[in-house]
Amino acid sequence: MNNTPYWQEVLISLRRIIRCTDMQSKRIMKSSGLTIPQVMVLRAINLLGDVTVKKISDDVSLSQATVTIILNRLEDRLLIERVRSKKDRRIVNARLTDIGKTTLTTAPPLLHEEFIKQFENLDDEKQVTLVASLQQVATMMSAESLDAAPLLDIAALTKDRLE
């Protein structure tokens, strides 16, 4: 039987999760040249059509300031364009360009998408238990008050906010 203390097993699992998200972030960056938040924003625009920063921000659970920075980078790379609304010229919407659409079709699936599929296959009791356990771990690490988007890529998100 394994004599490793449970707390050590928890810390090992947390390190594995962090390493997995870091590796996925690097794979996506290498294959598409995009960060995970950039892919998420492109997907939101693709899904929502011509869309405001506010709507993108709500969809991807990132601040409007972060989304604006991401949109600036995507626009510099000609992946999106900003267009004024025909109904209200004060409103500026983001729209995918043809290059953006092509780039999006080649972007690999995000790690949290697979997680969501597997999580939703768990019965309700297991889902509730898992959520409660992770919330307790966050509290034990004094992390419960940190702002965190519901995505599994903290490194790319932090990098995006700093640049």
Side-chain angles (χ1 to χ4, degrees), residues 4 25 150 152:
T4 306
S25 176
L152 297 175

Side-chain angles (χ1 to χ4, degrees), residues 37-38 41 62 65-75 160:
Q38 288 172 336
V41 167
L62 294 172
T66 299
V67 170
T68 299
I69 291 167
I70 292 170
L71 289 175
N72 290 342
R73 293 200 180 112
L74 295 174
E75 188 175 37
D160 241 18

Side-chain angles (χ1 to χ4, degrees), residues 10 13 121 143:
V10 170
S13 293
N121 284 332

Side-chain angles (χ1 to χ4, degrees), residues 96-108:
L96 287 182
T97 63
D98 289 339
I99 297 169
K101 290 174 188 172
T102 301
T103 300
L104 192 55
T105 62
T106 62

